[in-house]
Amino acid sequence: MSTNDNKAQPGNGRVELLLALLPKIPLIVKVILLHILGRSETAKYIDLRSDLTVSIIRSMLTPAKPRAVGETQAMSLRDPGVKGKIWVSTASSRVPPEQGIRDALLAAIDSMRAPEERGTTPSFKIPDIVPVEAEWTGYRAAATKNSPPPAISEAEKYQELMKEVKNKTTFLYFHGGAYYLCDPCTHRPMVKRIAKISGGRAYSVRYRLAPQNPFPAALLDALVSYFTLLYPPPGSFHEPVAPGDIVLGGDSAGGNLALALLQTLLELRRQNRKIAWFGEEREIPLPAGVTAISPWVDIVQSMPSLVKNQKWCYLPPPSPVAEAYKAAEDEFWPAKPPRKHLYVDDAYLLHPLVSLQFAETWEGAPPVYVSCGWETLADEDKYLVSKLARDGVTVVFEEYEAMPHVFEMVLSKLAESQRSLEGLVRFATAVCEDPKKVQSSYKTIKAKTLEEVDIDVDKLTPFSDEEVRDMARNKVLGKKEQLAPVPDVPAKL
């Protein structure tokens, strides 16, 4: 999927933003008054601008009249263009002559199903292997904030990018967007900051989006992209990237994809598989590490914080999985054949490569970094961290006081956002240099002061593995008898 035909026109964005904000004036006035008077709890932790930003985004994500999926998706794919202190070189992987990489993924999916389901024909449409675009992204130090990219080929842009790269750290990055929205173009500012802070580079993947391309299309594109870095197809710009220099990364749904890719690699290694790739049988090494910003772990949205933490976050409340996703009809949705979830066939909602809380083990995984705020996904992220730790994985976890979902992107000017990306990069650099020296740590980062407070990992989640899975099963079955939420203790505890 390319955004070349989706360029935003200069000036149009400001007019559209103004028109979108006009109906929000009563909300804006209310938030300002409550904040100034100190009557809102959020005012104790975040500034007025941030409070307004979160409130307006929340309002826009819950429109009075549902839009068609295709319309919403198209709005999110508008490319603002490339300018300023950023190198972007668009590359595309070639399709291998073999089907080995798809066969390997299908084998992993099948082996992770319930025992009685293994070996049966999958209900999902098996995706083709396609060319997968990605944006090589790096920091362009000498440019001004309005500098256009030079009129040179993509290969030449890549060479210029590489002249400014200071170390071998390579982020294989997957953007967020609930698996049906956004694109590398929407995430360029944050990916550029990661490249700048690290002195490395990023390979930001334009994976296929749902509902047109449901699971496992995005996961296949992720696996193809990983192999493209390791074993460049003929005609690639880049030299082979050592697995010890690769850090999988992503935010929200992209965090889910990065972790699902890691779980896929672990499963294929358990099977002692190799993959036929451009005429050779290739090993399946693990990356140096994984970084996940506010990862979406619980695809069916079943955990208490999805409701309890609404005041800190802009994500809309969860909807019933027993009902199909509600949107105005268009050519993309409802799906044909019908399914309830935009991303995945009904039979695979609780598959361990979709809903990550069903992964039996993370044993053998490289170090993992997870960050989140006091957001609606906090319960699932904390559970993930607890599970990783119990499975013997080195984990660095940072919880940011009062911050919403992927605050690093939506509140990019806050000191908390800079501190979070610096923490992520510190971890990534360390695992690429010597992962054995990386130690597990679990911290709360206080709002405004950025004071670090240790967290007891044994008290990170009140839920057992089976309780977490039961919540998801009940949600899928449409049962209202959910496990009782944890007592209403302040989120900071």
Side-chain angles (χ1 to χ4, degrees):
M1 182 181 298
S2 173
T3 60
N4 291 342
D5 299 326
N6 233 346
K7 296 285 186 183
Q9 297 300 313
N12 284 0
R14 292 191 187 93
V15 174
E16 289 180 358
L17 178 61
L18 180 60
L19 291 174
L21 288 178
L22 283 175
K24 311 295 180 187
I25 289 176
L27 170 68
I28 292 169
V29 171
K30 177 182 176 182
V31 172
I32 290 173
L33 287 175
L34 289 175
H35 191 98
I36 291 174
L37 295 173
R39 299 289 298 276
S40 66
E41 191 170 355
T42 52
K44 302 173 187 175
Y45 299 94
I46 59 177
D47 59 48
L48 176 58
R49 178 175 178 174
S50 300
D51 211 352
L52 280 168
T53 300
V54 172
S55 298
I56 291 169
I57 294 174
R58 182 191 299 125
S59 174
M60 289 181 167
L61 289 178
T62 52
K65 183 180 178 182
R67 294 192 187 95
V69 167
E71 178 188 357
T72 305
Q73 186 182 82
M75 290 170 60
S76 79
L77 298 180
R78 294 183 63 182
D79 188 344
V82 177
K83 68 175 184 179
K85 292 179 172 290
I86 183 173
W87 284 111
V88 172
S89 169
T90 303
S92 182
S93 65
R94 285 182 55 182
V95 176
E98 312 90 346
Q99 296 295 311
I101 197 159
R102 186 178 69 175
D103 293 344
L105 175 59
L106 294 175
I109 292 170
D110 186 64
S111 65
M112 298 175 78
R113 297 173 75 185
E116 66 274 13
E117 297 172 345
R118 291 172 194 162
T120 59
T121 302
S123 60
F124 57 76
K125 180 184 175 182
I126 296 175
D128 293 328
I129 306 172
V130 299
V132 183
E133 272 193 13
E135 293 186 352
W136 280 109
T137 306
Y139 185 63
R140 187 181 171 196
T144 67
K145 70 175 184 177
N146 293 314
S147 293
I152 55 179
S153 70
E154 298 301 316
E156 290 171 316
K157 289 176 189 174
Y158 176 75
Q159 295 304 323
E160 293 300 314
L161 178 157
M162 288 302 296
K163 290 177 184 176
E164 300 200 45
V165 168
K166 299 173 183 176
N167 59 64
K168 295 181 180 180
T169 304
T170 303
F171 293 88
L172 176 56
Y173 198 84
F174 305 108
H175 67 82
Y179 275 116
Y180 80 104
L181 302 173
C182 299
D183 179 85
C185 72
T186 58
H187 284 60
R188 283 178 196 142
M190 186 167 72
V191 175
K192 178 193 75 173
R193 289 174 70 191
I194 291 171
K196 177 185 178 182
I197 297 167
S198 69
R201 57 185 176 167
Y203 190 72
S204 185
V205 180
R206 185 164 284 122
Y207 58 85
R208 283 173 282 182
L209 299 178
Q212 303 94 316
N213 299 284
F215 173 85
L219 186 52
L220 177 58
D221 291 351
L223 184 57
V224 165
S225 299
Y226 183 56
F227 261 61
T228 295
L229 291 184
L230 293 170
Y231 311 113
S236 300
F237 303 157
H238 64 283
E239 298 295 321
V241 184
D245 294 330
I246 298 174
V247 177
L248 309 183
D251 61 278
S252 195
N256 178 289
L257 186 53
L259 289 158
L261 175 57
L262 172 61
Q263 188 61 236
T264 301
L265 299 174
L266 290 169
E267 177 59 25
L268 293 175
R269 287 168 63 86
R270 293 179 199 120
Q271 298 177 10
N272 295 314
R273 290 186 73 104
K274 291 185 179 181
I275 292 178
W277 177 258
F278 290 95
E280 295 194 42
E281 292 290 319
R282 295 296 195 177
E283 300 283 348
I284 305 174
L286 291 174
V290 179
T291 59
I293 298 171
S294 298
W296 188 15
V297 174
D298 175 24
I299 289 289
V300 301
Q301 298 182 293
S302 63
M303 299 195 74
S305 65
L306 287 154
V307 175
K308 237 181 89 182
N309 288 6
Q310 281 285 315
K311 64 186 171 186
W312 304 108
C313 203
Y314 52 82
L315 294 179
S319 56
V321 177
E323 303 171 12
Y325 177 82
K326 288 182 171 63
E329 289 193 19
D330 65 5
E331 61 184 304
F332 303 129
W333 191 259
K336 301 176 185 61
R339 63 178 188 271
K340 297 181 177 71
H341 200 283
L342 285 171
Y343 173 57
V344 61
D345 186 87
D346 296 354
Y348 288 81
L349 278 165
L350 302 182
H351 190 280
L353 296 179
V354 176
S355 293
L356 300 173
Q357 68 266 46
F358 284 86
E360 284 299 321
T361 181
W362 296 90
E363 183 180 0
V368 177
Y369 170 93
V370 178
S371 66
C372 72
W374 284 359
E375 59 186 273
T376 54
L377 271 58
D379 277 349
E380 59 205 74
D381 288 351
K382 291 177 181 180
Y383 168 76
L384 171 69
V385 170
S386 172
K387 173 65 171 163
L388 287 165
R390 285 183 281 117
D391 286 347
V393 180
T394 299
V395 189
V396 174
F397 173 61
E398 295 185 339
E399 179 187 31
Y400 284 79
E401 202 175 55
M403 291 294 106
H405 185 62
V406 195
F407 63 91
E408 298 87 346
M409 187 166 162
V410 298
L411 302 177
S412 60
K413 296 189 183 299
L414 284 186
E416 288 88 340
S417 298
Q418 181 68 15
R419 166 63 183 78
S420 178
L421 294 183
E422 287 173 354
L424 180 153
V425 165
R426 190 180 308 116
F427 167 88
T429 303
V431 295
C432 288
E433 289 177 352
D434 188 352
K436 293 180 181 178
K437 291 184 178 179
V438 178
Q439 301 294 315
S440 290
S441 66
Y442 314 90
K443 296 182 183 296
T444 289
I445 312 298
K446 294 285 190 178
K448 299 182 180 179
T449 66
L450 305 185
E451 177 191 355
E452 299 181 9
V453 179
D454 288 333
I455 301 172
D456 183 349
V457 67
D458 293 330
K459 298 178 181 178
L460 199 55
T461 178
F463 305 115
S464 69
D465 293 344
E466 199 52 36
E467 286 173 331
V468 168
R469 293 168 187 171
D470 277 346
M471 281 189 273
R473 292 187 191 106
N474 288 342
K475 183 73 182 285
V476 170
L477 292 172
K479 292 184 179 180
K480 294 184 178 179
E481 61 269 25
Q482 301 283 322
L483 282 175
V486 292
D488 193 16
V489 178
K492 62 184 177 181
L493 299 180

